[in-house]
Each structure stands twice: as C-alpha cells, then as structure tokens.
Amino acid sequence: MKLWGGRFTNREDEIMKKFNTSLPVDHRLYHEDIVGSLAHVTMLVHCDLLTPEEGELLVNGLQSILIDIESGDLKVEGEYEDIHSFVEMNLTERVGETGKKLHTARSRNDQVALDMRLYAKNKASEVCDSLQLLIDSLNKKASENNVIMPGYTHLQRAQVVTFSHHLGAYVQMFTRDKKRVENAIELLDENPLGCGALAGTTHDIDRNVTTELLAFSKPVDNFLDGVSDRDYLLELMSNFSITMMHLSRLSEELIIWSSQEFNFIKMADAYSTGSSIMPQKKNPDAAELIRGKTGRVYGSLFSLLTTMKGLPLAYNKDMQEDKEQFFDALDTVMDCLEIMAKMIETLHVNEDNMKAAIKAGFLNATEVADYLVSKGTAFRDAHGIVGQLIIYCEKENKAIEDLTIDEFAKFSDQIDEDIYPYIDYENSITKGNKGLLNKVKK
C-alpha cells in the first residue's frame, strides 16, 4: 500500500518495509493531515485544478474518514507506509478514482512539513496553557503561605525570605518559559504547502488560499527551506528542556524540603509512594520522576540536533526521526507540568519548622552589619565585627537576637537597644527593598 513504485521492478524487502514505515509513530497526525488535505482540495478547486464536483466528493470523503477515526470506527493501522498513505488510500477506496487526484500539486515533503507545523503549533499552545496552570497554582500557594523561611546559598542558610517569595522565583521562570514557547509559535507560523518536493510546482496554484484556511500568518519564503526546516521543532524542544530544568530544580527543593531533616513541607499522599520493606517511608516519587525525566527531554533534543547537523538540502529520510523525538519530549513535558501543578496545589507548608530553622542559622547577621553601617561604621569593618560576634554566639550556643546589650558592647560601642527591632526577622523583611519579599503576584 504505497504512493510510489512505478519505476521499481522488484518488491521491497519485508524487513525494509517495517524499517521504513512511520505509521506507528505519525498516526497521531491524522487530524492535521486531513485538515491540510481539506484546505489543499479547496485551493485546487479555487485554481480550477479540480472541478467543484470533484472537490465536493473529496471533501466529503475526507470528512467521513475524520469522523470515522474519531468515533473509533476506523483504526489508524495496517500496512501503510505513513499517515499520508493511510488517508489517501482510504479516501480512494471510498470515492473511487477521484481520490487519486488529491495529491495534485503536492508532495509528501510539503505535506509532512505542514502536518508537523500544524501539530506543533496546536500542541505548543497547549503547553502554554499548562504552564499557566502551574503558574496559577504557584501563585495561589504563595498567597496562602506568606510565611518566613530560610533562604539559601550553597545550600547553607543565608538570609530570611518568605515562602511566597521563594515560589515567586519559579513563577518568574515558568513565565519566561511560556514567553519562549509563544515566541516559537510566532516563528513557526508559516505555511509550507506549495513547496512541493523542493522546487514548488508547475501548476498555477494560490498558496494564500491554504495559508488563510489553515490560519498561518504567511507562506514560507523558500521552498527548499520549507520542506527541510525542523528548526521550529528544535526550538520547541529546547524550550521544553529549559522548562524541564526549571521543573527539576523545583522538584529537587520539594524533595529536600519534604525530608525529615528539613520537614518544611508535606507532600500529598496522591503524589507519593511507599516502600515495599520499610512501612514508615513516604517517598516523593512524583518529584523524583520529574527530575529523572528531565534527562529524557534533553536526550530528545540532542537526538534531533544530531540527526539534523549534517543534512544537505532539501528533504532527507533522516527527518522521519523528528517525530518520535518531538512527540516524546512533548508528552513528557505535558505530563510533568500537570503533575507539578497538582503537587504544588496539594502540598502542606509546615510554618513552625521553617521559623525554627531561621532561628538556628544566624540569618539576621547581615542585618547586624547593616545596622552598624547605619550608625556610621564602614561596611567592611561591620562585616568583620559581625564575624567575631557569630563566633561568640557559636561558643555560647546563643542566637544573635538573644544577646544582651552588654554582650553586643564587647564587639561595638555603637550598638544600642534599637538593634533588637532592627534584627527581628519579621521586621527585617519589610525594610528597604526587602519589602518586595512580602509581595505576592495575584
């Protein structure tokens, strides 16, 4: 069941037939393939390359195939080379010889380029929707938990922040991710129909008709590039990889925070698993799987980059390998975004444990230095004074805020009673531009 073979005298090897087919992968493009064919038929009638009666017959046939596939009456399977062969041969069976006219002024090269652009455009929009759901989930959880917690550098307690501000950092990351995908959609929004195999067609067609019907912004400018361009898939997969990197970073923090050593959060049972041998265990497997699947998306990106890196113009069969990599990366990032949004929505914040971690970490040391600067001490001198003060606190097993004025006086005579409200953790995050820590994006 092939769309070619006229110049061949011997049969295709059965192993080659299996090796060559892409239907098990590109079957998911059936909707885009039929929608593209419907637009193509309309254009052929418009340009008098088909009669209105022929066009109506083909349109009805294509629509019936789409209806039967989506109802389950027609399975996308069988010994077809690809989704294009499947649609065209089923069409010919239904409408007769007129079905063979569907491919007029078209090649499978511009056909598959069209299918992939339409599919990528639609699915990229769904990724943007999923990113927005995650952003909304983060913002909601942040607004409900504007509590103080340690901020870290080098995984060491550094300064006081709020849980809402910490989640806000991921809001910024995923907002950038969404903008990147939206930009990729804008760049790929070009119609490759009319490119033919690589050099257009001698038929007098109107590419603007299919461009308008398929809601593209414009036709592609160069036929060679139109059939061999996979940059849009690489860009989307690169964007997916960055998104997965952000998801992996967030997953890592959720894993750490949910450990008994931190106990900052509690993960919902719905996104955790247990141990087959240790009954006390509650493992953050959803977050760990997201962290692990990040490498899978990276691998898909580098696989396609490697496939494309040495290809001469125009179309080469190597490009058939684009689909499996893109589909897998897309499915993975969509699943991970959905799971992460639900994990964030259902996690519980242990406010008391976050506050306790602050007190044990000298997280107001910088505020003491800032206090001394406000009294006229040079910052470098203030830094040294506070360093000595921390050594004293460690020896005496005391927090900074628990020191007496007499103890402070051992290190600087500029310290007075007004230091206590200055180094209070709740107060410190309202001073200067640290007041931003209290703001939660609605």
Side-chain angles (χ1 to χ4, degrees):
M1 297 183 182
K2 293 179 174 56
L3 302 179
W4 52 271
R7 59 94 61 222
F8 288 80
T9 56
N10 295 320
R11 293 181 60 186
E12 184 181 20
D13 188 284
E14 288 300 315
I15 295 177
M16 176 58 184
K17 184 187 297 184
K18 181 179 178 181
F19 190 62
N20 186 49
T21 184
S22 62
L23 188 63
V25 175
D26 65 21
H27 64 86
R28 69 164 73 186
L29 297 175
Y30 74 86
H31 185 272
E32 287 73 21
D33 198 73
I34 293 173
V35 168
S37 292
L38 287 168
H40 183 65
V41 168
T42 301
M43 185 274 295
L44 292 176
V45 173
H46 175 81
C47 296
D48 296 324
L49 294 171
L50 289 176
T51 67
E53 293 74 23
E54 289 173 327
E56 183 178 3
L57 185 62
L58 293 176
V59 166
N60 290 338
L62 288 166
Q63 290 176 338
S64 71
I65 291 173
L66 181 58
I67 291 170
D68 287 350
I69 291 174
E70 295 187 335
S71 68
D73 291 337
L74 177 61
K75 304 294 184 184
V76 185
E77 58 188 19
E79 295 185 6
Y80 300 91
E81 188 173 355
D82 49 35
I83 188 60
H84 323 300
S85 305
F86 175 88
V87 171
E88 185 172 332
M89 290 180 178
N90 273 276
L91 177 66
T92 302
E93 288 179 8
R94 295 188 180 207
V95 304
E97 290 296 301
T98 304
K100 296 179 180 179
K101 295 188 176 183
L102 174 65
H103 212 51
T104 303
R106 187 173 69 171
S107 164
R108 280 191 299 176
N109 292 358
D110 60 352
Q111 189 176 359
V112 70
L114 172 72
D115 290 0
M116 285 302 290
R117 280 184 187 264
L118 285 175
Y119 185 84
K121 182 179 174 181
N122 292 334
K123 292 300 180 180
S125 295
E126 292 181 16
V127 171
C128 287
D129 292 340
S130 293
L131 280 164
Q132 188 59 54
L133 288 174
L134 176 55
I135 291 167
D136 293 343
S137 182
L138 287 164
N139 276 324
K140 185 174 186 295
K141 185 61 64 173
S143 66
E144 295 170 347
N145 295 276
N146 195 26
V147 298
I148 60 175
M149 66 173 291
Y152 295 82
T153 61
H154 308 279
L155 207 55
Q156 302 295 315
R157 295 170 191 164
Q159 289 182 281
V160 179
V161 297
T162 62
F163 184 72
S164 61
H165 198 70
H166 198 116
L167 291 189
Y170 288 100
V171 169
Q172 295 302 310
M173 294 181 206
F174 295 122
T175 299
R176 291 194 298 271
D177 292 338
K178 184 181 176 185
K179 289 179 180 178
R180 272 187 281 266
V181 176
E182 289 171 340
N183 182 66
I185 293 173
E186 182 179 349
L187 289 176
L188 71 83
D189 195 23
E190 298 182 355
N191 177 22
L193 271 184
C195 294
L198 76 163
T201 175
T202 55
H203 293 289
D204 189 14
I205 64 172
D206 188 344
R207 298 167 66 208
N208 291 317
V209 172
T210 54
T211 298
E212 182 176 349
L213 289 171
L214 296 171
F216 283 109
S217 62
K218 63 185 290 290
V220 298
D221 293 324
N222 185 281
F223 299 148
L224 287 163
D225 183 55
V227 296
S228 63
D229 171 31
R230 297 298 182 269
D231 291 358
Y232 61 97
L233 297 181
L234 290 168
E235 182 174 12
L236 285 171
M237 291 165 72
S238 176
N239 295 340
F240 297 166
S241 295
I242 295 172
T243 296
M244 289 300 299
M245 178 266 290
H246 291 153
L247 287 169
S248 185
R249 294 183 71 180
L250 179 53
S251 294
E252 175 70 6
E253 296 207 291
L254 295 178
I255 292 164
I256 292 172
W257 290 346
S258 64
S259 68
Q260 292 301 306
E261 285 70 24
F262 277 73
N263 198 19
F264 284 177
I265 63 168
K266 182 179 180 181
M267 304 285 285
D269 289 353
Y271 307 104
S272 307
T273 66
S275 167
S276 63
I277 188 173
M278 296 167 286
Q280 83 280 9
K281 294 291 293 299
K282 181 177 178 180
N283 302 323
D285 279 13
E288 291 176 2
L289 283 168
I290 291 173
R291 187 176 59 183
K293 289 178 183 292
T294 299
R296 180 173 180 156
V297 176
Y298 290 0
S300 293
L301 170 62
F302 278 93
S303 177
L304 185 53
L305 280 169
T306 305
T307 296
M308 295 298 298
K309 75 174 183 64
L311 294 186
L313 293 174
Y315 182 83
N316 297 271
K317 193 70 169 184
D318 313 48
M319 293 180 187
Q320 183 168 291
E321 292 298 302
D322 63 349
K323 299 170 193 62
E324 195 163 8
Q325 302 306 325
F326 179 72
F327 294 161
D328 191 76
L330 171 68
D331 293 345
T332 302
V333 76
M334 288 288 284
D335 287 346
C336 290
L337 286 169
E338 181 179 1
I339 289 290
M340 181 58 78
K342 291 179 177 179
M343 276 199 298
I344 295 297
E345 181 182 346
T346 57
L347 69 81
H348 172 74
V349 177
N350 296 325
E351 179 178 353
D352 292 341
N353 290 344
M354 288 183 174
K355 288 183 176 179
I358 289 172
K359 191 171 180 65
F362 305 118
L363 271 66
N364 50 3
T366 303
E367 278 63 42
V368 178
D370 290 344
Y371 171 86
L372 290 170
V373 169
S374 72
K375 297 290 185 176
T377 304
F379 180 78
R380 282 291 157 232
D381 293 335
H383 189 284
I385 291 169
V386 177
Q388 293 300 308
L389 187 147
I390 295 300
I391 293 174
Y392 174 82
C393 287
E394 290 178 332
K395 287 180 178 179
E396 299 297 322
N397 195 27
K398 285 188 172 183
I400 294 175
E401 62 271 20
D402 293 335
L403 296 178
T404 66
I405 288 298
D406 289 339
E407 287 175 307
F408 276 123
K410 295 177 182 179
F411 303 95
S412 173
D413 58 9
Q414 292 185 313
I415 299 177
D416 205 344
E417 292 285 347
D418 61 348
I419 192 173
Y420 293 111
Y422 203 99
I423 62 175
D424 178 81
Y425 292 114
E426 297 283 357
N427 289 340
S428 69
I429 60 174
T430 65
K431 291 185 175 68
N433 75 344
K434 294 187 76 172
L436 291 171
L437 293 171
N438 283 317
K439 293 186 177 180
V440 180
K441 184 178 179 181
K442 302 299 182 185

